Amino acid sequence: MTDVEIALSTGRVKGTDLGDVLRFYGIPYAEDPVGDLRFAAPVRREPWPGVRDATRPAATAQRLRFDPDPAIPEPIVAGTDILHVDVWAPAQGTGHPVLVWIHGGGWESGSSHQPWFDGTAFARAGIVVVSVGYRLGVEGFTAFPDAPDNRGVRDWIMALEWVRDEIAAFGGDPGRVTVSGQSAGGGAVLCLLASPLAAGLFHRGIASSPAVLRSPAAQAPKGTAAAELAAGGRGAVDEFHRRLRKDNPFLMPFRPTVGDDTVPVPPLEGIGSGPGLDLPLLIGSTAMEFEGVVRALPGAALVPGAAMILRSQELPTTGLRALARQSAGKSLRRAVGAVVDAATIHSTVVRAAETRVAAGAPTWVYDFRWSEGRGAVHCADLPFFWSVPEAANVRAYLGADAPPGLVDAMHRSWVDFVRSGDPGSPPYAPPGRRVQVWDDPPAVVEDGLADVRAVWWPAGGS
């Protein structure tokens, strides 16, 4: 490995030449969000003198893990200069398509350089990868009377503006950008498809296990101001974060707020009429998603937790009856697991797919059902799509070795989509509503979302 330098409009950066791939960590797209900028909209980065070192992971926004034992290792790097991107690029050539990645973590954890999101395999396939660091938790998503809403969303948009302005220096084509993400990051993709401020900044989307909660985000208690928290420093912000988490034991307290200029309407409405309507979308989920979370819940929390989740996602009455029929014969824990999976992720997939196909928007759906090891739980599809079966904790989390043929097929589907807007499987459209099922071997299934549609889209949805 040797060093390599690239000139940007803001200054030079030094990365690492891996031979066939160039890698850069922590390239700033906005000013350090400290002091008066902690709860402000992001501000474009001013030029820096000399050469900025981008050979090592930079500061992370995450301070308090959403999950104390996360599936994907979540390195925490000290520092405040967190509004940056990591880049992997082919060492040769120009005009490469670009994959922009927005990590998940419940809008309060994760980072741009988690090891499962190593972009080397994509770069070797001729794709420039940009992984985005953004503000999380209180700083990114809690609404205050004296601060702009959706500061984390504004970070995503400024990162996309950075891609538009700078990616050619890495051999990327700013006219061929795919924005992608998983879980909270998948929800970010749907928000951006519906956001007027993101219009024209990307050209297709991948929403993997997208989380879009229909209930409002947690609000700051009356009388609490962003300026007050900022004056209290890191400790005050972290304590406030813990308080919101404690007060919302079953629901995620952080998420984008609907109603401002970044997310003017609910994403599941906006994707049917918003600026991203004509853009190709690949969307999907894993078969079991959060079953592991349900297994860990104490028995007394099962029913109230599921009831709160159902209420927050506004389950149609006819859908509730369909869900009861589908749960017949299952244990209480398995039935609750099905409720949580459907309410948090599967409902979003079917609502998004049906809304888009009703509007004639190009849409593809996948369903990850690989059943070996721990099965198709939340995040289990990521090592396949990213082609990182040997990354840290992958084997332990999956509980089995990822089949090389399935890894290659799933990775190739994303590569093809980023290149052409077509993942190589049939689009999701009536009457067939075909779904790409990722199992060993893969298959295409007619009306692959039928059970989920019966619950969350009965007689045309709600």
Side-chain angles (χ1 to χ4, degrees):
M1 295 189 297
T2 59
D3 292 341
V4 60
E5 290 187 15
I6 286 182
L8 305 175
S9 65
T10 46
R12 299 187 68 83
V13 290
K14 179 178 69 175
T16 304
D17 186 341
L18 302 174
D20 52 352
V21 173
L22 307 181
R23 183 186 66 203
F24 299 82
Y25 287 124
I27 303 174
Y29 62 83
E31 290 293 331
D32 189 351
V34 293
D36 292 342
L37 296 182
R38 185 184 292 277
F39 292 99
V43 176
R44 282 181 174 271
R45 191 70 173 213
E46 291 293 327
W48 54 79
V51 179
R52 185 179 178 91
D53 185 7
T55 62
R56 294 172 295 180
T60 56
Q62 175 178 298
R63 295 299 191 278
L64 304 170
R65 286 189 172 95
F66 171 66
D67 184 344
D69 185 23
I72 309 172
E74 298 183 352
I76 295 177
V77 181
T80 60
D81 204 353
I82 57 175
L83 300 184
H84 52 64
V85 295
D86 300 338
V87 179
W88 290 260
Q92 303 293 329
T94 60
H96 300 298
V98 181
L99 177 67
V100 175
W101 179 252
I102 300 174
H103 69 80
W107 298 281
E108 61 177 308
S109 65
S111 77
S112 61
H113 38 259
Q114 292 174 264
W116 292 16
F117 310 142
D118 185 303
T120 300
F122 282 110
R124 286 175 176 158
I127 293 169
V128 179
V129 175
V130 178
S131 186
V132 178
Y134 58 97
R135 280 173 288 184
L136 300 169
V138 174
E139 289 156 303
F141 295 98
T142 298
F144 294 97
D146 58 336
D149 287 345
N150 291 327
R151 296 170 297 278
V153 179
R154 296 175 193 279
D155 295 344
W156 304 334
I157 293 170
M158 184 162 285
L160 287 170
E161 293 173 345
W162 181 93
V163 170
R164 177 196 62 198
D165 298 339
E166 307 287 358
I167 206 63
F170 301 90
D173 181 354
R176 300 172 67 196
V177 175
T178 299
V179 66
S180 60
Q182 184 263 354
S183 196
V189 173
L190 301 186
C191 287
L192 291 169
L193 282 167
S195 175
L197 298 188
L201 295 176
F202 64 101
H203 312 92
R204 51 193 68 117
I206 301 175
S208 181
S209 297
V212 175
L213 304 183
R214 291 161 70 101
S215 60
Q219 298 291 307
K222 188 175 181 179
T224 303
E228 175 187 347
L229 280 181
R234 179 81 260 155
V237 173
D238 287 351
E239 181 56 34
F240 189 73
H241 186 131
R242 292 187 185 96
R243 177 181 172 184
L244 288 179
R245 166 55 58 202
K246 182 179 179 181
D247 291 344
N248 296 270
F250 296 113
L251 297 178
M252 296 177 179
F254 308 108
R255 70 195 71 154
T257 298
V258 173
D260 71 347
D261 55 343
T262 63
V263 188
V265 297
L268 289 172
E269 297 176 15
I271 59 172
S273 58
L277 181 62
D278 295 332
L279 305 185
L281 174 67
L282 173 60
I283 189 170
S285 61
T286 68
M288 295 191 296
E289 293 291 355
F290 294 110
E291 183 173 305
V293 176
V294 173
R295 289 174 187 161
L297 282 175
L302 283 175
V303 173
M308 188 173 293
I309 290 170
L310 279 174
R311 189 165 62 252
S312 73
Q313 291 295 76
E314 302 174 9
L315 176 67
T317 302
T318 51
L320 185 59
R321 290 194 290 267
L323 188 60
R325 289 193 298 272
Q326 292 176 15
S327 298
K330 294 181 179 179
S331 69
L332 175 62
R333 195 168 289 274
R334 288 196 63 195
V336 170
V339 168
V340 173
D341 289 348
T344 53
I345 302 294
H346 297 159
S347 64
T348 296
V349 172
V350 74
R351 283 167 160 163
E354 292 293 330
T355 297
R356 282 179 58 88
V357 298
T363 305
W364 287 259
V365 174
Y366 76 83
D367 184 5
F368 180 74
R369 291 191 166 270
W370 183 64
S371 58
E372 295 182 36
R374 295 180 65 232
V377 294
H378 197 59
C379 300
D381 52 343
L382 294 176
F384 293 80
F385 286 128
W386 283 81
S387 189
V388 291
E390 304 302 323
N393 207 44
V394 167
R395 176 62 174 76
Y397 185 72
L398 296 181
D401 291 322
L406 185 57
V407 171
D408 291 344
M410 291 176 64
H411 179 63
R412 186 170 62 251
S413 73
W414 277 24
V415 168
D416 289 346
F417 187 79
V418 173
R419 286 174 174 167
S420 67
D422 184 343
S425 56
Y428 183 87
R433 289 184 167 86
R434 289 175 289 182
V435 171
Q436 173 66 63
V437 172
W438 291 120
D439 203 344
D440 194 14
V444 173
V445 175
E446 294 283 324
D447 204 4
L449 298 180
D451 286 349
V452 185
R453 284 198 302 116
V455 176
W456 297 99
W457 203 258
S462 64

